[in-house]
Amino acid sequence: MQASPKPPRVLHLHLKGCYFDAIQRGEKTCEYRLASTWEPRLAGKTFDEIWLKRGYPRRNDRHRILRRKWNGYRTELRRHPHFGRAPVEVLAIDVTQRVEAES
């Protein structure tokens, strides 16, 4: 008897619409998350895919989910209004490589 394939290990990230749309258009190549919050969550873990979600879509709403291959992350110093006025350490998560063609 053959074992069924394991489901992919997925990192789910919920995004504001403007950032989701920019990734979908190919204009935004990294998703940034505060290192102080996200590094403990991601350290030592591996994923197969990242699912970028526009807000909190319903389970079967595939138009609001982008599937990307997990390529890890790097740390950077960034200044952004959502993170405050001073530069902060962030995780830059690569979101360029698609898992499958999206509609």
Side-chain angles (χ1 to χ4, degrees), residues 49-60:
E49 298 179 16
I50 307 166
W51 287 18
L52 303 160
K53 299 178 178 186
R54 192 175 205 273
Y56 291 85
R58 293 176 189 233
R59 185 178 297 266
N60 61 352

Side-chain angles (χ1 to χ4, degrees), residues 11-24 27-35 38 42 50-53 66 68 70 72-76 78 80 82-83 90-96:
L11 172 62
H12 298 265
L13 297 177
H14 300 273
L15 310 174
K16 291 185 175 207
C18 59
Y19 301 126
F20 178 92
D21 295 344
I23 291 170
Q24 191 172 40
E27 297 168 2
K28 187 173 190 259
T29 60
C30 288
E31 172 59 18
Y32 300 102
R33 299 291 165 131
L34 279 174
W38 282 87
L42 300 180
I50 307 166
W51 287 18
L52 303 160
K53 299 178 178 186
L66 301 175
R68 298 296 191 253
W70 172 255
Y73 60 86
R74 65 184 183 278
T75 56
E76 294 182 2
R78 282 268 183 195
H80 191 279
H82 291 165
F83 299 141
V90 297
L91 305 181
I93 302 169
D94 182 340
V95 295
T96 57

